[in-house]
Amino acid sequence: MRKPKIVILGAGYGGLMTATRLQKSLGVNEADIVLVNKNDYHYETTWLHEASAGTLAPDRVRYDVRSVIDKNKVDFVQDTVVEINTAGKAVKLEKGELAYDYLVVALGAESETFGIQGLKEHAFSISNLNSARQIREHIEYQFATYNTEADRKDERLTIVVGGAGFTGIEFLGELANRIPELCKEYDVDYHKVRVICVEAAPTVLPGFDPELVNYAVAYLEKKGVEFKIGTAIKGCTPEGIIVAKGENEVEEIKASTVIWAAGVRGSSIIEASGIEAMRGRVKVNPDLRAPGQDDIFVIGDCSLIINEEINRPYPPTAQIAMQQGVTCAKNITALVRNEDNLETFTPDIKGTVCSLGEDDAIGVAFGKKMTGKTASFMKKMIDNRALYMIGGPSMVVKKGKFNVL
Amino acid sequence: MRKPKIVILGAGYGGLMTATRLQKSLGVNEADIVLVNKNDYHYETTWLHEASAGTLAPDRVRYDVRSVIDKNKVDFVQDTVVEINTAGKAVKLEKGELAYDYLVVALGAESETFGIQGLKEHAFSISNLNSARQIREHIEYQFATYNTEADRKDERLTIVVGGAGFTGIEFLGELANRIPELCKEYDVDYHKVRVICVEAAPTVLPGFDPELVNYAVAYLEKKGVEFKIGTAIKGCTPEGIIVAKGENEVEEIKASTVIWAAGVRGSSIIEASGIEAMRGRVKVNPDLRAPGQDDIFVIGDCSLIINEEINRPYPPTAQIAMQQGVTCAKNITALVRNEDNLETFTPDIKGTVCSLGEDDAIGVAFGKKMTGKTASFMKKMIDNRALYMIGGPSMVVKKGKFNVL
C-alpha cells in the first residue's frame, strides 16, 4: 500500500507545530511528511517589533527549521509556494511541484494597506525578518545622516507608526527605549525626535480593558510618543503622510520613516488558488478543514474562526496558531489511520499580554489584569513558551528571554 | 600688563597637541588660551575607515575634548569657525567672535573632488565621524534591503572605492573583513557582493615600497577586492560611476555605494580669509607661521611642508600634525615670553604603516619593511601612541587597541 503524503506549507507557528507533532504521532511507515518554507529558518513573528526597533538582534528572533524537525520523518524543502492546485492535489513551487494527499496551509499573514495611496511604495511593514532588518537599518540611517547635512532636516527624526493595535503599540514600546540610545550614538538632540502614532479607530488597542489601555497610553506618552487617535491616514508620500483633519481638510505630517502596522490579511496564494476566502482567510470547519475540501487544512493567520461569545472573529495570534497545529496534527493522524473521529478545535485563550518595551507591559492572564514588571515577566514567559512548544527545552536555552525582573 | 590671548582653531591631532603642550609650558598668569572646535569631541581621523566599515564602534573613535584639557588654563568654546580677520586679529564664529594675539590654525582637511561631476552629490567621503557613521549605516541598509525586494538588485551589494591611497586601502582592508559578517547577518550570498577599487594613478599606494604594495594587492584580491588601476572616474550618478575605458570610451559601473577616498585639501576657511594658500594649504615658514603673518601659526593638514630630499610636499599625516603641535607650542611660549629663538620644524618620520584590516598590514618602521602580524601590531602601537601623546596613559587604557597578536 502506498504511504499517504502530507505536505505542510509554511514553517511559522502553525506549520511548525503541526510538523513537530506529526513527527511524534506518526510512524515512519505510516506517512511521508514534507515541510515547505521560503526560508531555511523559522522566525518569531511576535518578536519582529523588537528586531525592527533594533532592541533585539535579528538572529535572536529566528532558528533553523532543521533544528526542530526529525529528518528521518520530515523532508524539508526550501522553496516558495506559487499556487495550490486543489483539483490535481498538487502544490506548484517556484522550483518544483509537490503532490499531496493531505495539505496543511499555514502560510501566515500579509500586510493589508486597504488601498491607501502610496502606503505600499513608501511605508514599511513589520511583516518578516527581512523587513524588520530593513526598518532597523532605515531608522538608523536617518539618525546617521541627520548631522551630515548642513541644512538639517528634522523630519529625518520623525517616525510615524500607522496603527495602535497590538503590533503598533509593541513597536512603540521598543522604539521609546531605542530612541535615547540612537540619540546618544549619533549625537542627536532627543527633543528633535518625534514618534507619532496615528490610528483611525477611536481608541488604542480596541478590545483591550480600558484601564490597561490608559496605562499603556500614559506610559508611552511619558516616553515621548504622540498619539493621534481617531485620525485616518489618507495617503503616504516619500515625504511623509497625509491625514484627515476635521470633515474635509487634510494635513501633511513630514516623516522620513512611516511604519504601517494597522492591518494584516491572509495569504494571497489562497485566493489565487480558488479556495473560498475573505481577504485571504478561510472560514474553516470545526475540524480545521477548508469548506468543501476534505484533504486541506488551513491554520494560523490564514484561518478564520468566530468567537461565538461576541460573534466576531478571533484575532490571528501565535497562541491560536500553535493550538491549531496540535489539533491539525491529531486530525491528520486520524485520517491517515482511517479513523473518522476528527477533533473540533476550540481556542483556549490563556492570556494576552501586550509588551511596552523591555520592562513594562499590560495584559490579562489567568483572568487577572496586570501591568508593569509582572506583566513584562508574563510576556517573556509567553515568548519562551512558544519556543518550548516547538523546539523543546534546548531551544528555550538557546533563544529564550531571561532578562526578567 | 594685559595677558596675551592664544586662540587655537580645531581640536584634531595638531590643535589638541598644541593646547595640551601649552597648558604645561605656560603659567596661568602668562596667557589666556582658548580652544575652538565644532564638536565637543576629538576624533581619531586615522581610525575613521574602521568606523565607516563598521568594524569599530564610532564611540571608540572619539573622546571628549574636555577630558584632556586643563580647564584652569584652557577655555573650550564649542562653535564653528566662519572667517579669520587677519587685519583685525579676530576670528568670526557662528555664534560669536574671538579676538586673538596669537592664532593657531589647525582646521584639518576637507574632501577634494577635483570637479568630477556628481561626486559631491552621490559619493560619500570618509571625512569625519558623522560621515563615517553615515557610510556604515548606508552600506548596512543596502544589505538589509536586498532581500526585501522581489526583483533583487545586485548593485545594492556593489561598493566602489575611489582611490587606492592610504585611506582607500585601509578602508578596503576593513571592508574585506566586514563583508562576510554582513552576508551572514542579512542572509546575502557572499558571491553576489562586489568591492571595486578604482584608481586613476598607475599604481596602488604611490610612494610605497613596490614589494609591500604587491603584498597588499594580493592580500586584498584574495579577500575578493577587484582593482581597476590606471582607471579614471569620469562621473558619479545615483546609479554608480562612469569610468574611462581606453582612449575615448566610457563604461558604467552600477553601485549603490560609492566612497570617494582619492583626495583631500586644506581648509576653505583659510582661502576665504585671504591667507596665501594652495588648495587650502599654507606653505608655512620654518617656524610654522604663515608667510607675512607674525601671529598666525598653521599646522596639520592645512599646512604644507616640502620634503627637500625628493622636492615634494610631505603627505598630511597625524604624525606630522602632532610633531608640529609640539613645535608650535614651544614657539608660542617663546613669543609670549618675548624670546626670539623660534624653533625650526623638521618632521621626524618614525614609520608609516598601512593597515589591511584587523590582523594584517604593510609598512616601514625603524627603517625596516614589515608585513602581516608584525606590521599590524606596529599599526596598533602607532594608534595607541597618538592617544598617549595627547591624552596620557589613562586615554590609552580607555580607547586603546589591545586586540594584538
Side-chain angles (χ1 to χ4, degrees):
Chain A
M1 213 184 95
R2 198 182 68 88
K3 277 196 283 183
K5 186 160 164 191
I6 305 160
V7 172
I8 303 165
L9 305 181
Y13 295 107
L16 215 44
M17 192 56 146
T18 306
T20 53
R21 287 295 167 116
L22 278 177
Q23 73 191 7
K24 276 184 206 155
S25 64
L26 285 174
V28 180
N29 298 318
E30 284 186 288
D32 289 324
I33 307 171
V34 182
L35 174 64
V36 180
N37 198 52
K38 196 174 185 172
N39 308 302
D40 61 0
Y41 55 83
H42 160 88
Y43 57 82
E44 304 294 325
T45 309
T46 60
W47 306 9
L48 286 178
H49 60 282
E50 295 170 75
S52 303
T55 47
L56 191 66
D59 217 48
R60 282 285 309 280
V61 176
R62 67 171 167 183
Y63 53 79
D64 196 316
V65 168
R66 289 158 298 201
S67 68
V68 296
I69 58 173
D70 176 350
K71 64 176 184 293
N72 296 314
K73 289 189 174 171
V74 179
D75 286 336
F76 175 62
V77 173
Q78 188 182 344
D79 207 339
T80 302
V81 178
V82 177
E83 202 181 15
I84 300 162
N85 174 358
T86 55
K89 297 188 80 162
V91 179
K92 196 176 158 196
L93 306 174
E94 258 177 27
K95 287 173 276 183
E97 189 162 312
L98 279 173
Y100 65 82
D101 295 296
Y102 301 104
L103 184 68
V104 180
V105 180
L107 289 164
E110 293 171 8
S111 180
E112 168 67 276
T113 53
F114 305 112
I116 298 171
Q117 217 171 2
L119 267 186
K120 229 176 202 153
E121 296 76 18
H122 308 301
F124 297 94
S125 77
I126 303 173
S127 43
N128 54 51
L129 196 66
N130 287 329
S131 73
R133 292 188 291 210
Q134 193 189 27
I135 290 167
R136 183 190 68 167
E137 291 309 318
H138 173 82
I139 293 172
E140 207 156 336
Y141 182 70
Q142 300 310 314
F143 274 76
T145 300
Y146 182 71
N147 276 328
T148 66
E149 292 169 323
D151 182 19
R152 288 179 194 176
K153 298 183 188 71
D154 287 351
E155 60 264 34
R156 286 211 185 271
L157 309 176
T158 300
I159 302 170
V160 166
V161 176
F166 223 84
T167 307
I169 294 299
E170 290 202 320
F171 180 62
L172 288 167
E174 298 301 322
L175 260 192
N177 288 340
R178 180 73 177 132
I179 297 294
E181 290 176 11
L182 286 170
C183 287
K184 198 169 163 229
E185 170 142 25
Y186 295 104
D187 302 313
V188 165
D189 179 0
Y190 178 78
H191 300 97
K192 298 266 184 197
V193 182
R194 287 182 73 188
V195 177
I196 308 167
C197 177
V198 182
E199 167 65 56
T203 174
V204 164
L205 286 173
F208 242 70
D209 178 277
E211 194 189 338
L212 294 176
V213 169
N214 288 345
Y215 179 95
V217 170
Y219 177 86
L220 292 172
E221 282 185 337
K222 206 183 118 206
K223 291 208 161 193
V225 175
E226 302 168 44
F227 283 95
K228 287 187 183 289
I229 302 304
T231 304
I233 294 183
K234 292 293 179 195
C236 187
T237 71
E239 279 78 43
I241 57 164
I242 313 292
V243 297
K245 193 184 170 184
E247 290 285 300
N248 305 308
E249 277 175 89
V250 294
E251 183 190 7
E252 188 190 8
I253 300 174
K254 283 191 182 252
S256 289
T257 308
V258 178
I259 313 287
W260 179 245
V264 290
R265 45 167 287 137
S267 168
S268 49
I269 304 280
I270 290 179
E271 288 160 326
S273 306
I275 301 171
E276 194 188 321
M278 300 186 300
R279 295 188 179 277
R281 299 181 77 190
V282 179
K283 196 174 164 204
V284 290
N285 294 337
D287 59 14
L288 297 177
R289 284 187 284 190
Q293 308 280 352
D294 280 352
D295 41 20
I296 300 182
F297 290 79
V298 182
I299 63 174
D301 295 355
C302 295
S303 73
L304 189 96
I305 297 170
I306 299 295
N307 182 347
E308 306 286 355
E309 283 178 40
I310 54 172
N311 200 28
R312 286 188 55 183
Y314 281 101
T317 65
Q319 190 175 197
I320 290 178
M322 286 192 292
Q323 290 176 1
Q324 288 178 320
V326 174
T327 299
C328 176
K330 276 188 200 166
N331 287 351
I332 290 178
T333 302
L335 288 173
V336 164
R337 291 176 181 160
N338 289 313
E339 298 162 2
D340 55 3
N341 53 337
L342 296 202
E343 193 177 283
T344 287
F345 177 72
T346 318
D348 173 18
I349 308 297
K350 292 190 169 33
T352 309
V353 183
C354 176
S355 152
L356 299 173
E358 169 64 29
D359 51 6
D360 212 330
I362 54 168
V364 177
F366 313 116
K368 251 187 68 182
K369 283 197 263 185
M370 45 183 74
T371 60
K373 282 189 194 300
T374 315
S376 183
F377 177 83
M378 190 59 62
K379 180 74 180 182
K380 291 186 175 89
M381 291 304 100
I382 292 170
D383 286 351
N384 289 347
R385 187 162 183 273
L387 292 170
Y388 180 82
M389 296 265 288
I390 294 172
S394 69
M395 191 58 78
V396 179
V397 170
K398 256 196 286 183
K399 302 278 178 176
K401 293 180 176 172
F402 298 103
N403 47 347
V404 287
L405 299 184
Chain B
M1 211 183 96
R2 199 181 69 88
K3 278 195 284 182
K5 187 160 163 191
I6 306 160
V7 173
I8 303 164
L9 305 181
Y13 294 107
L16 215 43
M17 192 55 143
T18 307
T20 53
R21 288 295 166 119
L22 278 178
Q23 73 192 9
K24 276 184 207 156
S25 63
L26 284 174
V28 180
N29 298 319
E30 285 186 286
D32 289 323
I33 308 170
V34 183
L35 173 64
V36 180
N37 198 52
K38 197 174 184 171
N39 307 302
D40 60 359
Y41 55 83
H42 161 88
Y43 57 83
E44 304 294 324
T45 309
T46 62
W47 306 9
L48 285 178
H49 60 283
E50 295 170 74
S52 303
T55 47
L56 191 65
D59 217 47
R60 282 286 307 281
V61 176
R62 66 169 167 184
Y63 54 78
D64 196 316
V65 168
R66 290 159 296 200
S67 68
V68 295
I69 56 172
D70 177 349
K71 64 175 182 296
N72 295 315
K73 289 189 175 172
V74 179
D75 285 335
F76 175 62
V77 173
Q78 188 182 344
D79 206 339
T80 302
V81 178
V82 177
E83 205 182 12
I84 301 162
N85 175 357
T86 54
K89 298 186 77 160
V91 178
K92 196 176 157 198
L93 306 174
E94 259 178 23
K95 288 173 275 184
E97 190 162 311
L98 279 173
Y100 65 81
D101 295 297
Y102 301 105
L103 184 69
V104 179
V105 180
L107 288 164
E110 293 171 9
S111 180
E112 168 66 276
T113 54
F114 305 112
I116 299 171
Q117 216 171 3
L119 268 187
K120 229 176 204 157
E121 296 76 18
H122 307 302
F124 297 94
S125 78
I126 304 174
S127 42
N128 55 50
L129 195 67
N130 287 329
S131 74
R133 292 187 293 209
Q134 192 190 27
I135 290 167
R136 183 190 69 168
E137 291 309 318
H138 174 82
I139 293 172
E140 206 157 336
Y141 182 70
Q142 301 309 315
F143 275 76
T145 300
Y146 183 70
N147 276 328
T148 65
E149 292 170 321
D151 182 18
R152 289 179 193 178
K153 297 181 188 73
D154 287 353
E155 61 264 35
R156 286 210 185 271
L157 309 175
T158 301
I159 301 170
V160 166
V161 176
F166 223 83
T167 307
I169 294 299
E170 291 204 319
F171 180 62
L172 287 166
E174 298 299 323
L175 259 193
N177 289 340
R178 179 74 178 132
I179 298 293
E181 290 176 10
L182 285 171
C183 287
K184 200 170 160 229
E185 170 143 25
Y186 294 104
D187 302 314
V188 165
D189 179 0
Y190 178 77
H191 300 96
K192 298 267 183 194
V193 181
R194 288 182 74 190
V195 176
I196 307 165
C197 178
V198 181
E199 168 64 58
T203 174
V204 163
L205 286 173
F208 242 71
D209 179 276
E211 193 188 336
L212 295 177
V213 169
N214 288 344
Y215 179 95
V217 170
Y219 177 87
L220 291 172
E221 282 185 338
K222 206 182 117 207
K223 291 207 162 192
V225 176
E226 302 168 43
F227 283 94
K228 289 189 182 289
I229 301 303
T231 305
I233 294 183
K234 292 293 179 195
C236 187
T237 69
E239 279 77 43
I241 57 163
I242 313 293
V243 297
K245 194 184 170 186
E247 289 287 299
N248 306 307
E249 275 175 273
V250 293
E251 184 189 3
E252 186 190 8
I253 300 174
K254 283 191 183 251
S256 289
T257 307
V258 179
I259 312 288
W260 179 246
V264 289
R265 45 167 285 138
S267 169
S268 48
I269 303 279
I270 290 180
E271 289 161 326
S273 306
I275 301 172
E276 195 187 323
M278 299 187 300
R279 293 188 181 278
R281 298 181 77 189
V282 179
K283 197 175 163 204
V284 289
N285 295 337
D287 59 13
L288 298 177
R289 283 187 284 189
Q293 309 280 351
D294 281 351
D295 41 19
I296 301 181
F297 290 79
V298 182
I299 62 174
D301 294 356
C302 295
S303 71
L304 189 96
I305 297 170
I306 299 295
N307 184 347
E308 307 285 355
E309 285 179 39
I310 55 173
N311 199 29
R312 285 188 55 184
Y314 281 103
T317 65
Q319 191 175 194
I320 290 179
M322 285 190 293
Q323 290 176 1
Q324 288 178 320
V326 174
T327 300
C328 177
K330 276 189 199 165
N331 287 350
I332 290 178
T333 302
L335 289 173
V336 164
R337 292 178 182 158
N338 289 313
E339 299 162 2
D340 56 3
N341 53 337
L342 296 202
E343 193 177 283
T344 285
F345 176 73
T346 320
D348 173 19
I349 308 297
K350 294 191 165 34
T352 309
V353 183
C354 176
S355 152
L356 299 172
E358 169 64 28
D359 51 6
D360 213 330
I362 54 169
V364 177
F366 314 115
K368 251 187 69 183
K369 283 198 266 186
M370 45 182 73
T371 60
K373 282 192 195 301
T374 315
S376 182
F377 177 82
M378 191 58 66
K379 180 73 180 181
K380 290 188 176 87
M381 290 305 100
I382 292 170
D383 286 350
N384 289 345
R385 189 163 182 273
L387 291 171
Y388 180 80
M389 296 266 287
I390 295 172
S394 69
M395 189 60 77
V396 179
V397 171
K398 257 197 283 184
K399 303 279 178 176
K401 293 180 175 173
F402 298 104
N403 46 347
V404 287
L405 299 182

